[in-house]
Amino acid sequence: MSQEAAITSFKKFQESWIDQLRNHLNHLRSAQNHHRNSATGDEERLREAVGRVMEHFREYHRAKWATTEKDVIGVMGTPWASALERSLHWVGGWRPTTLFHLIYTESSILFESRIVDILRGFRTGDLSDLSPSQFRVKFVKGRTVSELQCETVNEENAITDELSEWQDDASDLVMGTSSDPDQRIRRLAEIVHRTDDLRLRTITRVVELLSPLQQAEFLIAAAELRTGVAGWGTSHDRRRSSEV
């Protein structure tokens, strides 16, 4: 498959993937509502819905990895994304630390909306009910949430520095004076692979911290952000095109 064909194929995959994400989002909302309305709850149905969403993210990771191997320069340009999405990108996609901001924001919003019930001692079980231990106590693989966030920030900074170094040396590629241009391109692909691995590891580790209901709340918020930005950006691009 040529580089152009690989990018075109991934663009089609991306469009289909976003549509499927919307379907998974509806299924997750349905499982969440069923759990809330059930007298005993239905955590098994929640886990199944959460598992589908996480596998969907892993599928995206595998497809992007394969496309990066074919044409990393094309992947960095993200031609499948809207202008809005590209303005928010970091190394061809979203910043992993966005997930921490998202979970803190959702937790605060839900907490404020249910403050009366919380003050009365009622346990909601969702993100408004996050316990201090979920943020401070050791969890899977011996880390805390704050430690995971710091590790993610450090990895982001290291990747940014590495990409900056690559860009500083990129003039050799442009001028045709590089002694090994293929090696330079491979190094860029390694940076992108490392970045995408960090994205997948971060969302996986955050989900591991949460109860099934909290996992559903968090993934609904993450999916709504992803589909919302994509939808709004596409609509904005269409309006701009029609005005030309």
Side-chain angles (χ1 to χ4, degrees), residues 10-131:
F10 187 77
K11 184 176 181 179
K12 292 178 180 178
F13 168 82
Q14 167 83 6
E15 293 170 354
S16 174
W17 188 88
I18 288 291
D19 287 339
Q20 291 174 34
L21 181 60
R22 293 189 178 99
N23 291 333
H24 287 307
L25 178 58
N26 291 332
H27 182 73
L28 194 55
R29 287 197 189 105
S30 176
Q32 177 196 45
N33 291 332
H34 179 78
H35 178 82
R36 288 186 183 281
N37 296 327
S38 173
T40 59
D42 191 348
E43 289 195 351
E44 186 60 32
R45 183 171 175 179
L46 275 177
R47 289 193 181 93
E48 183 269 337
V50 166
R52 285 189 186 184
V53 175
M54 292 304 298
E55 178 55 32
H56 197 54
F57 281 118
R58 288 189 287 270
E59 179 186 14
Y60 185 90
H61 179 269
R62 291 191 293 268
K64 190 178 178 187
W65 180 287
T67 307
T68 299
E69 287 291 288
K70 293 286 186 180
D71 184 8
V72 63
I73 300 297
V75 166
M76 285 291 287
T78 61
W80 53 83
S82 65
L84 172 64
E85 289 173 286
R86 286 193 291 272
S87 74
L88 300 172
H89 279 172
W90 169 78
V91 197
W94 50 271
R95 279 186 176 272
T97 46
T98 301
L99 296 177
F100 296 101
H101 299 301
L102 182 63
I103 196 170
Y104 294 145
T105 299
E106 287 297 309
S107 178
S108 296
I109 291 173
L110 288 170
F111 180 85
E112 290 176 2
S113 69
R114 292 164 188 168
I115 184 64
V116 174
D117 287 340
I118 292 170
L119 290 176
R120 289 175 177 172
F122 296 123
R123 308 288 293 184
T124 60
D126 57 21
L127 287 176
S128 68
D129 205 25
L130 279 171
S131 67

Side-chain angles (χ1 to χ4, degrees), residues 9 18 38 62 66 74 76 85 88 94 116 129 150 152 154 157 161 169 213 220-221 223 228 242-243:
S9 177
I18 288 291
S38 173
R62 291 191 293 268
M76 285 291 287
E85 289 173 286
L88 300 172
W94 50 271
V116 174
D129 205 25
C150 288
T152 305
N154 289 338
N157 291 340
D161 290 344
D169 296 333
L213 180 57
I220 286 171
S242 65
E243 293 170 0

Side-chain angles (χ1 to χ4, degrees), residues 195-208:
T195 304
D196 286 333
D197 281 345
L198 179 59
R199 291 183 178 110
L200 184 61
R201 279 191 287 116
T202 301
I203 193 169
T204 299
R205 289 172 176 174
V206 169
V207 167
E208 287 174 348

